[in-house]
Amino acid sequence: MIPVTSDLVVTAAVRLDAVVPDRDGVVWGEGRASDGGRVQLVRRAPDGTVRDLLPEGSNARTAVHEYGGGAWWVHDGVVFTVDWSDQRLRRVADGAVTVLTPEPSAPRGDRYADGDVAADGTWMVCVRERHPTAGAPATEVVNEVVRLSAVAPSEPEVLVSGPDFVAAPRLSRDGGQLAWLSWDHPSMPWDDVVLTVRSLSSGADTVIAGGPGESVSEPAWHDDGSLTFISDRTGWWNLYRWDGTHVEPLVELEAEIGEPGWQLGGSRYAVLDDGSVVFARSSDGFDALVVRSPDGELTELDTGFSAVRSVRADGDGVVCIAGSPVAEPGVHRVSVAGAVTTLRPPRDLGLDPATISVPEPLTFVSVAPDGGARDAHALYYPPSGPVSGPPPLLVVIHGGPTGAASPVLAVGLQYWTSHGFGVVDVNYGGSTGYGRAYREQLKGAWGLVDVADCLAAARALASSGRVDPARLAIRGGSAGGFTVLAALARPDTPFAAGADHFGVADLEALARDTHKFESRYLDGLVGPYPEARDVYVERSPLTHVAEFSTPLIVLQGEEDAIVPPNQSEMIVSALRDRGVPVAYLLFPGEQHGFRAAENIKRALDAELAFYARLFDLAVDVPPVEIENL
């Protein structure tokens, strides 16, 4: 077969942002790598015609929590969107654009997201994140729920302030009640979240769910005045309903309906007019769509989808973004009977389905911090390209670290399998999709459990003869980059090469210099800082650079506010000084994750060229400079 090229990865590549049904059809967001990663909103009319909604150069992207999400919403044919350039909120109706929020005192100082419009369309609520000065420290950033006009510029009125974080402000259908989520440092949204309802006439607040040990998400109001939400009170993110007086379970499974709240505006379920519920559930690393009938019967739909998000009610079914192991995510409409209508097909990649590497779930034995045995999970993709003997292995580490490997066709992953690599995408302890207990295995153990599971995955595949033990490589970005560095900075590492994409080299530096959303995240993963400073120093890969001998390539965005460039520069400088082979690429204009087509292409080809040089592979990509080699 002909290997997948980096050109194919980026040509017409689109990241689907979210999908929302509206009176004039269906609206979705497209992040277009060919246009510098800008997010354009697209409307598909009932007659099938498709058109862009935002003016040329617009970018529907919010910087709330730095990770964004919920940057746009739709009501009765009107689009409300935050533009990346200034973070101000805009109303887009019939081609006319009205800026609704005031100019902030600091550049991009007021950021908006995750809104909901009142039924009459005249006012709305949303999250506002206020940065009083450019580059304000985390202690000065304020997150609030605000109310503002939906038709003309106005000064936002603060409704909820005080918690460190707020999310998902949702108005009841009559506009009389407001529901929202809140949590405080050092919790993250998958730890301890409170769901509150306020009467907007009396001002009385009622706590519906949540608190210590319970993560709540996705509140949604319904015509009968009830409120549904997701909670992990049983150890799994399942679905519940509040009827105004008490909470009852709607769906309780040993599977995950919810997902970690890295971004705002997520939707994993929808309640239909007849009382049916359609939801996505994750089990053993794979998603499926399930229907709960009004009498409580559950039916799993045979759609072929393995990854599902942005599930929204649309008549007698739902619209969603979904993909499979052999198809990239597309926009689809799914009826309660399981009939699928594709509204925005995935790219026609020209790939023979027989040449696509399909993942298989892998469970293997790893080591707990106390030395005991424990199960860990991964998805293994066998090589699809030509292989002579056992192939090299690429161990992939997802970000977060509270994230998960997704079993959906990713051309960037097929790039590796088509070049003859086996790829194992590790859902180490701490990953989501396996219940709260599995997610919490990483508490106090980041740099231990994740590293142990990555080593165990590589060794399990090597000992079984499926991969070449002499050609094991490891790659990861952000938190995954930290795991890469931690796995290499040890004398017993089995890896012969590594790739660090904007990863963390110095935990103490990250604790002192990061954004508000994650400024206390390490309290749970490592320990409170500075009280646990010794642990931060001990766990940092930079501390163990004397044990680091594996060649490394480092790729970094110059404008990254989440893992600043100094993290990459510290490890590169240390390896240079020690004479360890190292390559470093800094990408101007990129933030946390690469969005521009030319940068995605260069990063992929440079990493492949790096492995090819070390593993003596014949590849047709531009070379990369490797110092000390």
Side-chain angles (χ1 to χ4, degrees):
M1 65 167 288
I2 299 174
V4 172
T5 66
S6 58
D7 284 320
L8 181 61
V9 174
V10 301
T11 299
V14 167
R15 291 175 295 101
L16 292 172
D17 174 55
V19 59
V20 178
D22 189 43
R23 70 172 191 192
D24 296 326
V26 176
V27 179
W28 62 81
E30 296 185 354
R32 298 171 177 171
S34 60
D35 192 20
R38 293 181 189 274
V39 179
Q40 174 62 269
L41 303 185
V42 178
R43 173 173 275 132
R44 185 184 192 272
D47 65 2
T49 58
V50 175
R51 64 184 178 92
D52 290 351
L53 296 179
L54 303 182
E56 185 83 14
S58 297
N59 188 2
R61 184 179 166 206
T62 177
V64 171
H65 294 174
E66 302 296 339
Y67 291 101
W72 58 274
W73 49 97
V74 183
H75 178 81
D76 201 21
V78 179
V79 171
F80 301 90
T81 180
V82 177
D83 195 84
W84 178 254
S85 62
D86 58 9
Q87 293 297 296
R88 297 171 74 186
L89 185 59
R90 290 155 169 78
R91 170 191 171 98
V92 182
D94 299 322
V97 179
T98 304
V99 180
L100 296 177
T101 52
E103 185 171 349
S105 58
R108 301 170 70 210
D110 288 349
R111 308 172 180 188
Y112 298 88
D114 207 8
D116 191 29
V117 184
D120 65 6
T122 63
W123 61 284
M124 60 183 166
V125 293
C126 65
V127 172
R128 180 179 69 185
E129 182 175 276
R130 173 157 280 186
H131 296 242
T133 58
T139 52
E140 294 182 9
V141 176
V142 177
N143 294 69
E144 301 166 315
V145 175
V146 297
R147 172 166 49 190
L148 65 160
S149 171
V151 296
S154 65
E155 182 66 38
E157 172 195 0
V158 176
L159 295 182
V160 179
S161 188
D164 289 323
F165 299 97
V166 291
R170 300 292 181 259
L171 294 166
S172 60
R173 299 296 173 87
D174 62 5
Q177 297 185 90
L178 171 70
W180 74 92
L181 305 172
S182 63
W183 65 97
D184 292 307
H185 285 313
S187 295
M188 298 297 286
W190 43 87
D191 294 326
D192 316 302
V193 179
V194 173
L195 170 60
T196 305
V197 168
R198 174 178 297 171
S199 166
L200 294 179
S201 58
S202 70
D205 289 348
T206 303
V207 173
I208 305 304
E214 183 178 1
S215 170
V216 183
S217 61
E218 295 188 34
W221 291 99
H222 308 288
D223 287 340
D224 62 1
S226 65
L227 181 74
T228 52
F229 60 92
I230 293 171
S231 165
D232 70 349
R233 58 182 58 186
T234 65
W236 299 87
W237 271 317
N238 282 181
L239 189 59
Y240 298 85
R241 175 171 54 202
W242 178 66
D243 64 6
T245 57
H246 70 283
V247 171
E248 62 177 356
L250 284 182
V251 179
E252 287 190 333
L253 300 169
E254 287 195 356
E256 300 276 49
I257 299 174
E259 57 187 358
W262 283 104
Q263 292 190 309
L264 298 169
S267 179
R268 289 272 288 180
Y269 75 93
V271 179
L272 309 187
D273 289 342
D274 69 353
S276 300
V277 183
V278 182
F279 61 91
R281 69 100 185 100
S282 177
S283 181
D284 294 327
F286 287 74
D287 280 351
L289 276 172
V290 182
V291 177
R292 180 195 185 274
S293 67
D295 63 6
E297 182 180 354
L298 300 181
T299 303
E300 184 171 314
L301 302 180
D302 183 16
T303 62
F305 297 140
S306 56
V308 182
R309 56 190 174 85
S310 197
V311 180
R312 310 278 183 170
D314 186 28
D316 64 350
V318 297
V319 291
C320 62
I321 295 172
S324 75
V326 295
E328 291 182 313
V331 178
H332 307 278
R333 189 182 187 281
V334 183
S335 74
V336 291
V340 177
T341 303
T342 298
L343 306 179
R344 201 282 183 196
R347 288 183 292 171
D348 180 4
L349 298 167
L351 296 177
D352 180 350
T355 67
I356 295 174
S357 181
V358 175
E360 58 184 84
L362 183 69
T363 298
F364 52 93
V365 176
S366 187
V367 180
D370 64 3
R374 41 178 287 278
D375 284 344
H377 308 282
L379 301 173
Y380 178 65
Y381 295 78
S384 55
V387 177
S388 177
L393 175 70
L394 192 57
V395 178
V396 175
I397 315 302
H398 65 69
T402 311
S406 181
V408 68
L409 177 63
V411 189
L413 189 148
Q414 299 294 322
Y415 175 88
W416 299 108
T417 58
S418 74
H419 279 95
F421 285 78
V423 175
V424 63
D425 209 347
V426 184
N427 277 323
Y428 49 82
S431 303
T432 53
Y434 301 89
R436 187 177 183 113
Y438 192 78
R439 191 167 75 241
E440 292 190 338
Q441 288 183 8
L442 209 59
K443 280 195 171 292
W446 191 31
L448 302 177
V449 165
D450 49 324
V451 170
D453 291 357
C454 295
L455 300 181
R459 287 168 173 154
L461 287 164
S463 64
S464 69
R466 299 186 71 176
V467 300
D468 184 350
R471 294 188 295 171
L472 306 179
I474 183 171
R475 77 188 300 254
S478 189
F482 165 77
T483 303
V484 167
L485 297 177
L488 298 181
R490 47 190 297 156
D492 64 340
T493 186
F495 297 109
D500 163 27
H501 295 238
F502 39 88
V504 179
D506 183 341
L507 289 175
E508 188 176 16
L510 184 68
R512 293 193 305 255
D513 179 24
T514 192
H515 59 119
K516 180 185 178 183
F517 182 65
E518 293 184 273
S519 62
R520 298 287 302 278
Y521 187 20
L522 298 186
D523 283 30
L525 295 174
V526 182
Y529 185 84
E531 294 86 343
R533 180 177 180 273
D534 290 350
V535 181
Y536 281 72
V537 173
E538 170 59 27
R539 296 267 183 88
S540 293
L542 200 62
T543 300
H544 302 281
V545 73
E547 299 171 345
F548 204 126
S549 60
T550 303
L552 179 73
I553 183 170
V554 178
L555 305 108
Q556 174 71 46
E558 190 175 47
E559 298 177 7
D560 194 336
I562 295 172
V563 179
N566 70 309
Q567 289 280 344
S568 290
E569 288 155 6
M570 284 188 289
I571 194 70
V572 169
S573 177
L575 295 182
R576 278 184 184 138
D577 291 347
R578 289 202 65 249
V580 176
V582 61
Y584 180 44
L585 283 75
L586 182 67
F587 293 90
E590 291 286 6
Q591 295 93 41
H592 197 63
F594 305 150
R595 294 172 179 268
E598 64 272 17
N599 294 334
I600 297 170
K601 174 179 166 61
R602 176 57 180 151
L604 271 173
D605 287 346
E607 189 176 343
L608 177 58
F610 179 77
Y611 299 140
R613 182 87 178 274
L614 298 172
F615 294 163
D616 195 24
L617 305 175
V619 297
D620 184 20
V621 294
V624 65
E625 180 186 356
I626 307 174
E627 302 176 54
N628 297 331
L629 186 62

